[in-house]
Amino acid sequence: MELDKPNLSYIKELADGDAEFEASLIAILKKELPKEKEAFIESVREKNYQNSAEHVHKIKHKISILGLEKSYNFAIAFEEELKNDDPKRYDTFLSILQNMEEFLMTI
C-alpha cells in the first residue's frame, strides 16, 4: 500500500484560525501517538489481538485528523482483521504510524 501524506487541513478547519487551539491539538497528537503505538506493539507481541484492535480503534481517529484517508480505511479493515485474530498486515500499520510520527516531528 502506498502511504498517503499527512496534512493539517482538518486541524486547521477545526481550529478556525485559533492558533492556540491548533497548537494544542498538535501537542496532544505528539504526546499520545508514541504511547498508543507502543501499547499497540506490545499487545501484538503478546498476541492479544482483541486488545490490539482496541488500540487501532483509538489510533484511527488520529489517522483521520491528519487527513490520511487511505490509511484510515486501511485501519478500519485492519481493526476487523485483528478482531478475527489476523495480524498479517501489522507491518503496513506500523508504516502508517511511522509516517504519522515523522510528520509530527516536522511541525
Side-chain angles (χ1 to χ4, degrees):
M1 175 179 129
E2 186 178 329
L3 296 178
D4 33 1
K5 297 212 180 288
N7 63 72
L8 297 177
S9 298
Y10 183 66
I11 290 175
K12 289 188 179 297
E13 185 181 318
L14 281 176
D16 193 30
D18 184 341
E20 191 176 313
F21 181 70
E22 186 177 320
S24 175
L25 281 176
I26 292 167
I28 290 168
L29 290 172
K30 287 181 175 184
K31 179 181 176 187
E32 290 182 357
L33 184 62
K35 293 176 187 175
E36 290 174 351
K37 177 184 174 186
E38 193 53 45
F40 165 73
I41 291 169
E42 186 60 32
S43 68
V44 171
R45 270 192 210 123
E46 294 171 354
K47 296 184 178 8
N48 185 345
Y49 301 128
Q50 297 305 310
N51 188 259
S52 302
E54 290 174 21
H55 289 297
V56 171
H57 182 78
K58 291 178 190 172
I59 294 169
K60 77 181 178 188
H61 299 295
K62 289 176 175 57
I63 293 170
S64 176
I65 287 170
L66 289 176
L68 298 165
E69 212 170 298
K70 288 190 318 191
S71 297
Y72 180 78
N73 290 329
F74 175 89
I76 290 170
F78 186 53
E79 179 183 356
E80 289 306 310
E81 291 166 7
L82 287 169
K83 288 178 183 177
N84 293 311
D85 294 331
D86 181 4
K88 72 177 175 275
R89 297 200 297 170
Y90 170 80
D91 289 336
T92 303
F93 192 69
L94 279 186
S95 296
I96 291 169
L97 297 178
Q98 184 65 33
N99 186 30
M100 293 167 63
E101 285 183 317
E102 288 172 3
F103 175 74
L104 289 171
M105 288 189 309
T106 66
I107 53 176

